[in-house]
Amino acid sequence: MIKPSTRPAAALIRASALAVMLACAACGPSSDVDAQSGPASTGGGADTNPLDQMAGVESLGWLTTLNDLYPDEYSRLGAVVDHEVGSGSDVVAARTTLMEAFLPFMAKRKRSLRSAADELLVDYLRLNLAALEHLKTENPQACVEIAQGKLDPSTQLSQTAWTKTSEATAQLLKAAHGAEASPVARPDPTLTAEEQHKWFVEIGNAGATRRTAELLRDPAAAARASADELCQVRILLMKGALLSPPETAAKIVLAAG
């Protein structure tokens, strides 16, 4: 069991979908994006906007959600990408520009989450967990870096990995939109001592061991730990949150930023 005295920081639970998107742009397009986007020279005069072509790729499916919920922002990004591709940039550069242009908008949406319904935040957490569980098998180091919001730009991940992170990003947009359309009063999103204690209990129920507690308590031990171990710690923190009452899980998401 994880003792309350270990006090794992809520930030450890974070698996930022936004950080994943930005890292994805730096890593370059998948073969599917290449195939559907075509040569950069077709961007300016093509019948289909390059952003629409990107939205048709499963690993960038969050763009469809953006178009559904925030059409003005989608149109703005479409113009940005169309100009980039029309100027002769390749798909990698266009995607990088897309993410950079999208960052301020997403930052505002994340600030809206404080007023999102518990179930929307819990779904966001569940999808982030699914992404990390996949990454633990595929690339534990990427799992750790993504959870810290700093994926190495040279990292190559599978379509499945990007698709799972895209699903989490789409849910973040849904949660923000729901908060803006029907805000929920949440005067204090801070975890109470009782909620934190129950979270620790659920982390233990999720399978935490003495080693888990050591890695949470001792920075030196964490510094020596393998990527697989560190990824597992983050997964257990998320599982513990999902075993907690929805209102507690929602607070954990908000505390993670």
Side-chain angles (χ1 to χ4, degrees):
M1 172 181 171
I2 301 294
K3 297 180 180 179
S5 60
T6 60
R7 304 181 65 84
L12 285 176
I13 201 172
R14 182 170 58 89
S16 171
L18 179 59
V20 173
M21 288 195 301
L22 294 172
C24 180
C27 287
S30 67
S31 57
D32 284 352
V33 176
D34 283 333
Q36 295 193 35
S37 296
S41 60
T42 65
D47 292 335
T48 302
N49 186 290
L51 191 63
D52 292 337
Q53 295 175 326
M54 291 181 182
V57 179
E58 189 176 14
S59 60
L60 288 172
W62 62 270
L63 284 168
T64 299
T65 301
L66 179 69
N67 191 22
D68 291 341
L69 301 180
Y70 298 100
D72 289 346
E73 175 64 10
Y74 183 88
S75 295
R76 184 185 74 84
L77 292 178
V80 169
V81 174
D82 190 47
H83 178 269
E84 184 77 14
V85 175
S87 299
S89 298
D90 61 18
V91 179
V92 178
R95 286 183 68 182
T96 301
T97 299
L98 164 66
M99 300 309 174
E100 291 174 347
F102 187 54
L103 181 59
F105 176 85
M106 184 59 97
K108 291 180 180 179
R109 302 289 77 74
K110 291 181 76 174
R111 288 195 291 271
S112 301
L113 293 181
R114 177 167 174 164
S115 300
D118 292 342
E119 59 268 22
L120 293 174
L121 295 173
V122 170
D123 284 345
Y124 175 58
L125 176 60
R126 185 175 292 109
L127 289 168
N128 273 285
L129 172 60
L132 279 201
E133 287 185 314
H134 176 83
L135 285 171
K136 183 177 182 293
T137 300
E138 178 180 319
N139 188 330
Q141 184 59 39
C143 169
V144 173
E145 292 178 1
I146 284 175
Q148 295 172 341
K150 54 178 184 181
L151 184 66
D152 185 335
S154 66
T155 303
Q156 296 294 323
L157 297 176
S158 68
Q159 278 292 103
T160 300
W162 292 134
T163 297
K164 287 183 178 295
T165 59
S166 175
E167 290 169 349
T169 301
Q171 181 58 31
L172 189 153
L173 290 169
K174 293 175 184 177
H177 187 268
E180 292 158 2
S182 302
V184 173
R186 189 180 282 111
D188 185 2
T190 306
L191 286 171
T192 66
E194 181 180 3
E195 287 171 330
Q196 192 174 52
H197 173 78
K198 290 182 178 179
W199 178 28
F200 297 157
V201 171
E202 296 299 357
I203 293 170
N205 292 337
T209 64
R210 290 183 179 179
R211 177 60 172 168
T212 307
E214 179 187 16
L215 294 176
L216 288 169
R217 184 174 54 246
D218 185 352
R224 296 189 301 268
S226 68
D228 186 79
E229 286 182 305
L230 295 176
C231 184
Q232 181 63 14
V233 168
R234 286 164 172 79
I235 286 172
L236 288 170
L237 290 171
M238 289 184 168
K239 286 185 173 180
L242 289 171
L243 289 172
S244 303
E247 59 270 23
T248 300
K251 285 185 176 183
I252 292 169
V253 172
L254 295 174

